[in-house]
Amino acid sequence: MKFIHTADWHLGKLLKEHSMTEDQAWLLENRFLPIVDEEKPDVILLAGDVYDRSFPPEDAVELFDRMTEEIVGKRGIPFIVISGNHDSAERLAVASRLLRSQGLYIFGPLDRLSPVILKDEWGPVAFLPMPYSEPARVRVMMNKLGMEEAEKVKTYEEAEKILSSRMLSLLPDEGEGMRKIALAHVYAAGGMSSESERPISIGGYDQIPDEVFAPYDYTALGHLHRPQKTKEGFREDPVQRKPHALLLRRSASEEGHHRRDD
C-alpha cells in the first residue's frame, strides 16, 4: 500500500510575530498537492501537530478545512490524522465520528480511538492511531474504559505501551497476518530536536524507546522537525511525501535541513 507520511504542519504558526499561514497555504497548494497528484497514494497520514496551538487562528482552521476537501473531497484519498502536543485533541476531533464515513479519520480523545483498516490487492492494512498522550491522560482513559492498574502508569514510555497494547487488542485476532502501521506523536529516543519543538518534559523523561513500536511494520512518527532515523530505523517525519525533508523551516535551527527526494 502506498501512503504519504506527513506530520507537524503547525498551521497558524507565528515566527517573530509574523503569521506563516499564507506561506503554509502556498506550500501545501503548490508543493504538497502536486506531490499527491504525482504519487497517487492510497492514503495520507498526518502524525500530529496539525495546528501550532490549541486555539488556532481562523485562517489556519480554514486552511486545514480546504486541505481536507482537496485530499478527501476532490481526490477521494483517505486521510488519517492524529493530534499532537500543540493541538487540542477534543477540538481537532469535532465531528470525527461523522467524517469517518467520508474517508477523513481524525483521532484526538484517547477513549475514542479505533484502528482504520484499509485494503489493497495484498489484503488488509491496519493503521493504528496513537495521538500525543501524557501519562495522566492515559490514566484517565484507563479509568474511563475500566482498565486495571491505571495508577501504575507514570512515564511516557508506560503510557505509550498502554496505548499500543490497547490499539492492537482492537484488531481482529490482534492483527495476526495483517500489516500494521502505527501513527504516533512522540519524542523517539535517539532523535535530534530543533528549536521549534515545544519541550514535553525535562531530562529525557518523555523519550520513547524503539522497542515500543516493534509490533508494527512501519511507524509514522511526528514531533521532531527534521528527517532522521532513530536507533532501529523508525522515522521522524516533516511535511513531505516521505519522511525525508522539510517543506517549510519553522526556526533558525532548521535552516540547514534540505529537502531531498529518494
Side-chain angles (χ1 to χ4, degrees):
M1 179 169 287
K2 188 180 215 179
F3 57 86
I4 294 178
H5 164 194
T6 81
D8 299 280
W9 288 13
H10 287 274
L11 302 179
K13 182 173 180 61
L14 296 175
L15 185 60
K16 297 187 182 299
E17 306 305 317
H18 169 72
S19 172
M20 300 179 69
T21 306
E22 185 177 343
D23 304 277
Q24 292 168 325
W26 189 91
L27 286 164
L28 287 169
E29 292 165 357
N30 295 281
R31 292 291 184 265
F32 181 68
L33 288 179
I35 290 172
V36 172
D37 292 334
E38 176 188 349
E39 297 293 339
K40 296 179 172 53
D42 299 300
V43 59
I44 294 175
L45 314 177
L46 203 176
D49 283 355
V50 176
Y51 299 113
D52 193 58
R53 49 192 185 273
S54 59
F55 286 93
E58 292 178 5
D59 57 351
V61 175
E62 195 277 332
L63 175 56
F64 182 62
D65 181 64
R66 201 159 73 239
M67 291 304 298
T68 59
E69 170 62 15
E70 289 287 345
I71 293 168
V72 181
K74 294 182 179 180
R75 291 165 175 79
I77 301 171
F79 191 17
I80 305 175
V81 182
I82 64 171
S83 59
N85 60 302
H86 283 250
D87 299 309
S88 164
E90 289 75 15
R91 293 187 186 91
L92 183 65
V94 166
S96 58
R97 295 179 182 91
L98 178 64
L99 294 171
R100 285 176 65 95
S101 63
Q102 305 302 311
L104 177 56
Y105 305 89
I106 302 179
F107 297 96
L110 302 183
D111 60 328
R112 287 163 40 193
L113 303 181
S114 61
V116 176
I117 300 177
L118 304 176
K119 293 183 178 180
D120 62 12
E121 57 188 299
W122 292 282
V125 180
F127 293 86
L128 297 103
M130 292 180 277
Y132 169 73
S133 50
E134 298 168 348
R137 283 181 172 264
V138 171
R139 291 196 296 270
V140 170
M141 175 202 76
M142 293 176 71
N143 287 325
K144 189 177 289 188
L145 296 176
M147 300 171 67
E148 297 180 351
E149 299 185 331
E151 70 283 353
K152 293 185 178 181
V153 177
K154 304 293 185 183
T155 68
Y156 281 84
E157 179 181 349
E158 291 167 347
E160 202 68 18
K161 285 180 177 178
I162 290 291
L163 271 188
S164 176
S165 177
R166 164 128 179 102
M167 294 308 303
L168 291 169
S169 74
L170 295 175
L171 290 173
D173 299 321
E174 296 195 349
E176 175 133 9
M178 187 181 294
R179 288 165 289 166
K180 295 180 284 294
I181 297 172
L183 286 80
H185 193 87
V186 302
Y187 191 148
M192 296 177 63
S193 62
S194 60
E195 292 174 0
S196 60
E197 287 122 26
R198 178 185 299 166
I200 296 175
S201 71
I202 298 172
Y205 169 72
D206 57 338
Q207 296 190 23
I208 309 297
D210 287 343
E211 51 264 28
V212 172
F213 303 108
Y216 304 100
D217 298 287
Y218 183 94
T219 301
L221 296 176
H223 184 57
L224 300 185
H225 300 167
R226 63 174 71 191
Q228 57 191 288
K229 292 183 180 181
T230 62
K231 181 176 61 177
E232 300 298 331
F234 298 103
R235 299 283 188 131
E236 299 286 345
D237 185 70
V239 182
Q240 278 295 349
R241 86 177 99 172
K242 296 179 180 179
H244 288 170
L246 287 167
L247 278 177
L248 182 65
R249 280 73 177 165
R250 302 179 188 89
S251 73
S253 68
E254 294 171 4
E255 183 179 358
H257 303 174
H258 299 297
R259 172 180 171 175
R260 64 185 189 274
D261 298 312
D262 289 359

